[in-house]
Amino acid sequence: MVKICCIGAGYVGGPTMAVIAIKCPAIEVVVVDISKPRIDAWNSDTLPIYEPGLDDVVKACRGKNLFFSTDVEKHVAEADIIFVSVNTPTKTRGLGAGKAADLTYWESAARMIADVSKSDKIVVEKSTVPVKTAEAIEKILTHNSKGINYQILSNPEFLAEGTAIEDLFKPDRVLIGGRETPGGQKAVQALKEVYAHWVPEANIITTNLWSAELSKLAANAFLAQRISSVNAMSALCEATGANVSEVSYAIGKDSRIGPKFLNASVGFGGSCFQKDILNLVYICECNGLPEVANYWKQVIKINDYQKSRFVNRVVSSMFNTVSGKKIAVLGFAFKKDTGDTRETPAIDVCKGLVGDKAQVSIYDPQVTEEQIQRDLAMNKVSVVWDAYEACKGAHGVCILTEWDEFKKLDYQKIFDNMQKPAFVFDGRNVVDAEKLREMGFIVYSIGKPLDGWLKDMPAVA
Ligand SMILES: NC(=O)c1ccc[n+]([C@@H]2O[C@H](COP(=O)([O-])OP(=O)(O)OC[C@H]3O[C@@H](n4cnc5c(N)ncnc54)[C@H](O)[C@@H]3O)[C@@H](O)[C@H]2O)c1
Ligand SMILES: O=c1ccn([C@@H]2O[C@H](COP(=O)(O)OP(=O)(O)O[C@H]3O[C@H](CO)[C@@H](O)[C@H](O)[C@H]3O)[C@@H](O)[C@H]2O)c(=O)[nH]1
């Protein structure tokens, strides 16, 4: 029986391994982590992450061929294939701080693999890492090899949160990079056989190691660039009377552009886009390519601009001050169908509003109060468990996550219980602005023609 061990039981390690387990009943999969609370949660009825469909998959195979454990060394020693799915955040100190990937967790995992292994291993980079990381990992492993043969593969993960299970069941592609040696190719084949249990062969792409590593950073950079492009257009739409949804639809009909990922928003968030672009920028700089680095930096600058533009719009619309005014924030997660708040634009927007002395009341169906307070640290806000409660007595409502339930709220009830004039600032284009205007709201929708009130307010930039 092939045995797989995955180091790191996070948003990637947990769901990816659960799907491998359910699709490959003859493979034993053990997910290990140094965090006991996380492993305990994976072994309980309340999983540590919210992801539609995940509970069913985990319940179907946990205890059969899927296990979660803190006994990292034992399971690493026993495994044939070791996935490493530890976090690779942006470095906060030292050389490359604010840009480079922090590979501390990766390096310690590699050293531990070298220490405990007694048989040949295939080590798979599942985390997103800088291009050429496999070379460094190879050095760590082979320096302590004790005659053991290690093959390093790059198998980046492309799942998006909120649709992780769907993405894993039907991936657009699985990418496997390996050394162009007989041993490397044999390892590529072994991993390919795992995915071939459910992914059509045509969707499994094999490349050299560096192409696989770089493709992951490139894919995220291209995706984020699309959002910054449409968000840049949204500012121009507001200035000219064009409608960003119409523009997106029109350009998306061009099959070379395609319709997906063209939704204007208050800005992109999530643990990956900013981190991976900063990492790309750093790699470009280290390779003496400042023009390329500056090109990608601009994607992040537009994202920052979009978030501050939104805050400025709120404040300027409300007579240039929100001091002492109650502002309801609907949605705190970085996108719908997840409880994840990493790099969520809501953090910047809330900090901006509190900075202008607003009394912010936040509701999100999946994010805990504890998490929100942690994210906002020194900024005093209140967190409530009901959208109507958040909006009661408010001067303005900001919609920051596109949760489906925000489309179905009783906006007449909300209007009746708000201060007048009552404002809605829709950072995700989820509400029917015309209907809300008929009720009496003043509505701002990202990238849409401005209503009369907003046109008369000072320009925001
Ligand atoms: N979150 C996503 O949607 C997503 C998608 C694709 C790729 N990625 C990439 O995958 C990687 C993991 O992301 P994530 O969101 O799952 O992170 P995460 O923080 O949710 O999980 C990482 C886990 O690794 C554990 N860990 C760290 N060092 C360890 C060690 N030495 N031994 C055992 N466990 C250890 C941590 O305790 C943590 O539970 C990152 O590189 C990320 O960029 C993330
Ligand atoms: O048209 C769009 C699409 C997305 N977003 C925002 O962009 C952010 C990222 O969304 P999404 O990409 O759907 O979620 P992630 O889970 O961050 O997934 C991205 O990052 C992962 C981690 O690397 C990759 O694996 C995925 O392929 C990649 O889509 C979120 O704040 C979204 O609200 C928009 O504003 N407009």
Side-chain angles (χ1 to χ4, degrees):
M1 194 186 202
V2 176
K3 191 166 165 179
I4 288 178
C5 175
C6 176
I7 306 176
Y11 286 86
V12 170
T16 49
M17 292 304 122
V19 168
I20 289 181
I22 203 164
K23 294 292 185 184
C24 311
I27 296 179
E28 184 185 298
V29 182
V30 185
V31 191
V32 296
D33 205 294
I34 41 176
S35 161
K36 189 173 180 308
R38 232 178 190 183
I39 291 297
D40 288 347
W42 280 110
N43 282 322
S44 76
D45 284 338
T46 315
L47 301 184
I49 61 174
Y50 171 70
E51 195 62 62
L54 178 64
D55 277 37
D56 292 343
V57 177
V58 170
K59 276 181 195 144
C61 42
R62 192 172 56 193
K64 292 180 188 142
N65 67 327
L66 174 67
F67 304 91
F68 295 93
S69 169
T70 48
D71 201 345
V72 181
E73 297 187 358
K74 171 180 183 285
H75 294 289
V76 165
E78 289 174 359
D80 307 292
I81 303 177
I82 302 164
F83 285 83
V84 184
S85 185
V86 298
N87 35 333
T88 51
T90 305
K91 263 184 103 168
T92 51
R93 301 177 61 168
L95 190 65
K99 278 188 238 169
D102 180 350
L103 294 177
T104 315
Y105 304 105
W106 235 108
E107 187 176 333
S108 86
R111 287 181 188 278
M112 183 268 300
I113 296 171
D115 283 349
V116 306
S117 292
K118 294 186 186 68
S119 56
D120 293 352
K121 307 281 181 212
I122 296 174
V123 177
V124 185
E125 291 175 348
K126 198 47 149 168
S127 307
T128 304
V129 290
V131 59
K132 288 285 186 183
T133 297
E135 201 167 65
I137 303 300
E138 242 168 25
K139 283 187 185 138
I140 293 171
L141 292 173
T142 49
H143 261 77
N144 306 286
S145 79
K146 301 170 272 182
I148 293 167
N149 177 24
Y150 293 102
Q151 286 299 331
I152 322 290
L153 300 179
S154 166
N155 172 221
E157 183 48 60
F158 297 101
L159 69 81
E161 288 178 29
T163 53
I165 296 301
E166 222 177 295
D167 296 341
L168 289 165
F169 276 175
K170 278 186 168 222
D172 285 347
R173 77 318 206 170
V174 165
L175 177 57
I176 304 173
R179 283 280 185 198
E180 289 150 308
T181 58
Q185 290 308 299
K186 202 171 149 212
V188 168
Q189 195 52 38
L191 186 57
K192 204 171 162 181
E193 276 164 23
V194 172
Y195 285 106
H197 280 83
W198 78 99
V199 180
E201 190 140 344
N203 292 7
I204 305 179
I205 305 170
T206 58
T207 64
N208 76 28
L209 268 172
W210 323 129
S211 304
E213 287 179 338
L214 184 54
S215 297
K216 173 64 196 176
L217 297 180
N220 274 356
F222 272 56
L223 288 167
Q225 182 205 43
R226 267 174 91 90
I227 303 169
S228 279
S229 297
V230 79
N231 282 344
M233 286 298 162
S234 75
L236 188 56
C237 285
E238 288 165 29
T240 57
N243 178 329
V244 76
S245 301
E246 293 176 356
V247 173
S248 289
Y249 183 74
I251 64 171
K253 276 288 181 191
D254 185 325
S255 60
R256 293 168 301 176
I257 296 174
K260 293 184 184 168
F261 246 70
L262 286 177
N263 294 321
S265 66
V266 58
F268 61 73
S271 66
C272 295
F273 282 172
Q274 173 158 313
K275 159 179 86 76
D276 293 348
I277 293 176
L278 288 171
N279 184 359
L280 186 65
V281 165
Y282 183 70
I283 296 167
C284 293
E285 285 170 351
C286 291
N287 282 283
L289 302 168
E291 289 81 2
V292 185
N294 285 335
Y295 174 76
W296 289 111
K297 243 187 234 171
Q298 200 57 30
V299 172
I300 294 177
K301 281 193 184 161
I302 285 287
N303 199 47
D304 290 339
Y305 164 72
Q306 189 74 348
K307 290 181 275 188
S308 58
R309 198 170 79 76
F310 185 86
V311 174
N312 290 348
R313 180 69 81 183
V314 174
V315 178
S316 71
S317 304
M318 299 172 80
F319 315 102
N320 233 14
T321 176
V322 287
S323 181
K325 293 178 186 165
K326 180 174 176 183
I327 307 286
V329 165
L330 300 186
F332 197 80
F334 80 97
K335 62 186 281 196
K336 74 170 181 177
D337 291 340
T338 178
D340 196 349
T341 63
R342 291 178 290 179
E343 303 295 337
T344 177
I347 294 177
D348 298 87
V349 171
C350 291
K351 283 184 178 170
L353 294 172
V354 173
D356 219 290
K357 296 198 181 144
Q359 290 172 3
V360 176
S361 180
I362 304 171
Y363 164 70
D364 186 288
Q366 281 299 332
V367 184
T368 61
E369 165 158 20
E370 194 193 358
Q371 184 62 47
I372 292 174
Q373 300 291 7
R374 210 172 18 237
D375 287 336
L376 294 175
M378 307 300 285
N379 300 269
K380 216 171 148 288
V381 294
S382 67
V383 179
V384 294
W385 276 104
D386 178 52
Y388 298 104
E389 190 58 35
C391 298
K392 199 188 251 170
H395 292 75
V397 177
C398 296
I399 301 174
L400 301 185
T401 312
E402 71 282 21
W403 286 104
D404 290 336
E405 65 180 71
F406 298 157
K407 290 189 184 133
K408 298 176 210 138
L409 290 172
D410 180 347
Y411 282 96
Q412 186 62 57
K413 179 172 155 190
I414 288 176
F415 181 80
D416 292 343
N417 288 317
M418 281 178 68
Q419 307 278 345
K420 309 294 175 322
F423 296 84
V424 167
F425 301 93
D426 185 359
R428 297 286 184 170
N429 285 334
V430 297
V431 300
D432 183 337
E434 279 319 312
K435 260 199 194 147
L436 263 61
R437 284 189 186 118
E438 279 165 24
M439 290 172 194
F441 279 108
I442 295 161
V443 185
Y444 166 71
S445 305
I446 288 268
K448 301 288 179 83
L450 297 177
D451 68 22
W453 178 288
L454 298 166
K455 264 193 210 139
D456 296 339
M457 286 292 157
V460 280

